[in-house]
């Protein structure tokens, strides 16, 4: 199989040796193939955000190996890690992370500025805003847009460099159901066009839109399978993740 992402016995330990260590990830083995749409689910404290930070090269494992597209991440220089974050991975966060003083199009232009991609930043940014249906909001600042619009700007920002991997951390967490559905539809479209999408969520309803479900509990993977609509076990995994039982 064409493994794009590969974690081998990965641990992330906070406070190691201080008598009160926390194992946010506790011996995780994981492979994600190119073109998959994966939902990583779990309740608060399960290790979801730590997992995303490592997958996005924002953090490194305490122990174990992370191989991204055939490269051992621990052996990469800071400049190469920055290039990966700018060109290979598109990040979508629950909190949008837009700069309040900048307009929508200026926010979307930022990754292009740092990536070194040639071409008109303004045209590339406008194309991305058009893709998410917000070309008419290009000159609006975040305070002048709804939460759903801000999240779509954040998605447009993630798309400007055409990254092969999209990491979405609770992308619908601050949205109502209608706006959440719009965001998920955009992610499904990106997946259908070949992007590898990794969705971090505690919401079983959102997770069922992915093709594969991975459930984390106390830093360990306790379920990893293709999601089967109507299958009692698949449904129970999502119910447990959403309810916290």
């Amino acid at each position: 199989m064409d493994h794009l992402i590969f974690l081998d016995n990965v641990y992330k330990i906070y406070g190691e040796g201080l008598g009160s260590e926390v194992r946010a990830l506790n011996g995780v083995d994981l492979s994600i193939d190119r073109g998959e749409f994966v939902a990583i689910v779990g309740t608060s404290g399960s290790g979801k955000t730590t997992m995303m930070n490592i997958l996005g090269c924002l953090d490194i494992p305490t122990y174990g190996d992370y191989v991204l597209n055939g490269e051992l991440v621990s052996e990469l220089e800071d400049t190469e890690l920055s290039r990966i974050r700018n060109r290979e991975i598109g990040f979508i966060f629950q909190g949008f992370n837009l700069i309040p003083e900048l307009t929508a199009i200026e926010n979307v232009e930022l990754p292009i500025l740092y990536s070194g991609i040639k071409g008109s930043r303004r045209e590339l940014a406008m194309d991305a805003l058009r893709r998410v249906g917000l070309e008419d909001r290009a000159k609006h600042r975040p305070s002048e847009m709804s939460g759903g619009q801000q999240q779509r700007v954040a998605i447009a920002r993630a798309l400007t460099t055409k990254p092969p991997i999209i990491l979405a951390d609770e992308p619908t967490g601050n949205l109502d159901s209608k706006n959440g559905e719009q965001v998920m539809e955009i992610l499904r479209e990106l997946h259908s066009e070949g992007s590898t999408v990794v969705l971090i969520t505690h919401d079983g309803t959102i997770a069922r839109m992915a093709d594969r479900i991975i459930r984390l509990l106390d830093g360990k993977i306790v379920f990893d399978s293709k999601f089967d609509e109507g299958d009692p076990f698949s449904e129970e995994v999502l119910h447990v993740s959403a309810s916290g039982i």
Side-chain angles (χ1 to χ4, degrees):
M1 298 295 287
D2 186 13
H3 296 325
L4 179 62
I5 289 169
F6 182 69
L7 299 181
D8 181 20
N9 199 30
V10 164
Y11 289 79
K12 184 62 183 180
I13 304 173
Y14 298 100
E16 186 178 23
L18 300 178
S20 59
E21 70 178 31
V22 174
R23 296 194 171 199
L25 293 180
N26 193 13
V28 169
D29 295 314
L30 172 67
S31 62
I32 296 176
D33 296 333
R34 201 176 307 275
E36 282 197 274
F37 190 153
V38 178
I40 298 176
V41 301
T43 55
S44 177
S46 62
K48 302 189 307 298
T49 298
T50 300
M51 173 84 82
M52 180 180 176
N53 288 340
I54 287 176
L55 295 181
C57 299
L58 298 170
D59 202 354
I60 59 173
T62 306
Y63 304 109
D65 293 328
Y66 175 26
V67 180
L68 176 62
N69 201 20
E71 295 185 287
L72 186 59
V73 171
S74 62
E75 295 182 350
L76 299 178
E77 301 289 340
D78 288 344
T79 53
E80 183 62 14
L81 291 173
S82 294
R83 186 198 67 80
I84 288 172
R85 289 191 294 265
N86 288 331
R87 297 288 297 271
E88 304 297 322
I89 301 172
F91 295 93
I92 303 169
F93 298 99
Q94 176 179 357
F96 316 142
N97 289 5
L98 302 178
I99 298 177
E101 296 79 14
L102 300 183
T103 63
I105 196 165
E106 289 168 342
N107 269 283
V108 175
E109 284 178 325
L110 285 176
I112 308 171
L113 177 64
Y114 294 120
S115 70
I117 292 176
K118 296 180 179 180
S120 168
R121 291 202 308 270
R122 187 53 52 100
E123 289 181 10
L124 291 170
M126 186 58 77
D127 284 345
L129 283 173
R130 190 175 296 113
R131 176 72 186 273
V132 299
L134 285 180
E135 63 269 30
D136 61 336
R137 291 289 189 267
K139 296 184 179 180
H140 288 64
R141 288 182 171 81
S143 61
E144 300 171 314
M145 294 182 287
S146 68
Q149 290 170 338
Q150 290 183 60
Q151 187 59 293
R152 282 188 282 159
V153 171
I155 293 174
R157 181 184 56 193
L159 299 182
T160 53
T161 59
K162 296 181 169 55
I165 302 171
I166 301 291
L167 294 183
D169 188 9
E170 301 280 6
T172 65
N174 286 333
L175 305 179
D176 59 30
S177 59
K178 180 180 179 180
N179 282 301
E181 289 171 3
Q182 291 176 341
V183 165
M184 289 305 300
E185 185 56 36
I186 294 171
L187 292 179
R188 290 293 297 177
E189 288 177 5
L190 293 171
H191 171 248
S192 69
E193 294 168 4
S195 294
T196 302
V197 179
V198 181
L199 170 69
I200 311 293
T201 184
H202 70 281
D203 188 334
T205 301
I206 296 298
R208 70 178 62 238
M209 297 186 70
D211 298 323
R212 175 182 169 195
I213 305 294
I214 295 168
R215 184 178 176 232
L216 281 175
L217 178 65
D218 297 330
K220 296 182 178 181
I221 292 176
V222 296
F223 177 85
D224 181 356
S225 182
K226 298 289 186 181
F227 177 65
D228 184 4
E229 187 78 42
D231 176 73
F233 190 58
S234 291
E235 297 288 350
E236 181 63 17
V237 166
L238 294 186
H239 171 72
V240 169
S241 298
S243 67
I245 295 173

